Amino acid sequence: MGKYWTIFVNSIQTGFTYRAEILFRALRHIVLAAVFIFLWLTIFKTQTQIKGFDEHSIVTYYLLAEILDIIYTARPARYLTRQIKNGDLSFFLIKPFSHKLNVFAQVVGEQVAKSSLSVLIVVAVFLLFPNHIFVQTNPLYVFLFCLSIVLAWILYFHIFYFVGLISFWFSETSYIRMSINQLVIILAGRWVPLSFLPPFLFALTNVLPFQYLFSFIINTYLGKNSLDKIVLALGIESLWIVAFSILISFLWKKGAKRYEAYGA
Amino acid sequence: MKPMVHNIVKTIRIFFIYLRLNFAKGMEYRVNFLTSLFPTFAYSLGYLIFIRTIYGLVPSIAGWTFDQLLALFAIEQFLLYAILILFRQSFDLFSESIRTGEFDLTLKLPISARLGASFVHQEVYIFAPLMGAILIFLYATRDFNLGLVQYLVISFMLCLGIFILYNIYTIIASLSFWTTESAEIMSLGDELMDLGRYPVQIFPQIIVILLLFIFPISLITLNPANISFGIYDWKLPTTLIVMALISFVISQFIWNVGLKRYSSASS
């Protein structure tokens, strides 16, 4: 475990080297969150409630969605693709450690560095408008919210590590990655609360794992999910993680057999 | 007057030579023309679902109908893809070339350094998504009864918009002469581009001023949108033309000051 811890710590240090990048990333997220919030505040000028959301909960929804988006900044798929494409993977294949855990430690470290300042800045800016923010005071819900973030990040990592494995079969996967990313964004509730979607799309999101990345977490914070539903959802989310783990190890074995690197 | 006209003609000629060269280079990877469609299609689909969902809940946003908002989105996407094709990538490479000293090679060319730095790399394969944006615009404006004159005016305004964006990105790229963080500022600029797809009425006054006069993306998108909706007002188009001139003068000034400051990696 010590070797992964070292990778994690090194990755954090590397991440903090690019402080200006972190600052501008935070600014970009502030702009995005502000646009969504202004749009919805305009809509709420003529309505008091839309499908259980009021002005406060919708502003909080987009603030949390932006924070979660920052948390998903690390790109395990891109990381893996780069290693497969330029042959760096060979270096890892001869080392006595799990490639998946190595990437996990690497991206978590990178993520901690990139998220920390951004989250602080976004939170600081939106604390300037406290009248629009819903504060969850029930410690149990706050705990479940934090737990669901941790599980969601593990699920996110598995989904995109799985996507990255496609690079064993295709030389150019950036467009596949970007397309999947875009679909995940809409099906996860990043752009709009899932309950607002047309019924057939809402039903579709209920059987897919993406809702756990945004919608479920935010609704948990907002207290829109009952305790029974949260416990059940966390169980299903864990099963998705296990399913992706199995798929990954299967694809990894198949892909590693196909892998060729110049000079290997 | 004659040397000025000669310079403009020469500039346009060189621009088209770059375009031809980059098109030939792009054709080496023909499959990119198709694959670039997937993420942009997914993005447009996502946005469509987003605004469709909102219009399923409310009849209008700040007085804008679904088709009007869709047209505005198409205009913003058109501008985004146009700048990606024409110069955006070149400016990324420019920032990098300042750091590595490779900008020396551009300076050695017998053309204006700004021209060389701006158009050396063009992502011509993004042509397919650009066509997608045009199709969305045609669909959104299907009931607006647009004639040839309107299309010509819209095209002219889009060209002016691209020219203003070119000047703004030149200003941001010129910051590379002073700081290594200009690429990040450019990414922030990309993000601000998104604001052009929303009606200005949703923003507070201070942001409206920013979007009309400082980073005038709303000014750029609103003008062609207004023409397509049949709103003819002389103030916004005049502001657009003035803005094109001002942005060019400022960008050229900053570029020249930055260029004087440049010392290559080897000197």
Side-chain angles (χ1 to χ4, degrees), chain B residues 215-235:
Chain B
F215 189 89
I217 183 62
S218 291
L219 179 74
I220 293 167
T221 54
L222 265 180
N223 266 296
N226 276 350
I227 298 295
S228 60
F229 307 154
I231 302 168
Y232 305 105
D233 172 23
W234 62 271
K235 278 178 265 170

Side-chain angles (χ1 to χ4, degrees), chain A residues 16 62 70 74 101-102 106 126 153 157 188 192 212 223 240:
Chain A
F16 274 119
Y62 283 101
I70 295 171
L101 284 178
N102 168 49
Q106 184 88 33
F126 281 93
W153 203 90
F157 172 80
V192 67
Y212 302 110
W240 273 111

Side-chain angles (χ1 to χ4, degrees), chain A residues 20-21 35 175 179 182 191 196, chain B residues 39 43 46-47 53 125 181 184:
Chain A
E21 188 190 326
V35 169
Y175 295 116
S179 306
Q182 293 302 339
W191 275 13
F196 289 9
Chain B
Y43 184 76
Y47 187 76
T53 302
Y125 63 87
E181 311 298 345
E184 291 303 326

Side-chain angles (χ1 to χ4, degrees), chain A residues 35-36 39, chain B residues 47 50 69 72 194-200 202-203:
Chain A
V35 169
F36 279 121
L39 180 71
Chain B
Y47 187 76
F50 170 60
L69 203 64
L72 198 63
D194 279 2
L195 274 65
R197 74 174 67 152
Y198 297 100
V200 282
I202 69 165
F203 298 115

Side-chain angles (χ1 to χ4, degrees), chain A residues 20-21 24 27-28 31-32 35-36 38-40 42-43 47 50 175 178-179 182 186 191-192 196-198 201, chain B residues 35 38-39 42-43 46-47 49-50 53-54 57-58 125 181 184-185 187-188 191 195 198 202-204 207:
Chain A
E21 188 190 326
F24 282 106
L27 281 173
R28 294 208 300 268
V31 169
L32 270 177
V35 169
F36 279 121
F38 286 133
L39 180 71
W40 282 99
T42 307
I43 293 167
Q47 326 250 330
I50 299 176
Y175 295 116
M178 283 192 276
S179 306
Q182 293 302 339
I186 193 78
W191 275 13
V192 67
F196 289 9
L197 289 175
L201 261 182
Chain B
T35 48
F38 298 133
Y43 184 76
Y47 187 76
I49 293 172
F50 170 60
T53 302
I54 294 177
L57 304 167
V58 290
Y125 63 87
E181 311 298 345
E184 291 303 326
I185 304 172
S187 301
L188 186 62
E191 221 63 71
L195 274 65
Y198 297 100
I202 69 165
F203 298 115
I207 296 181

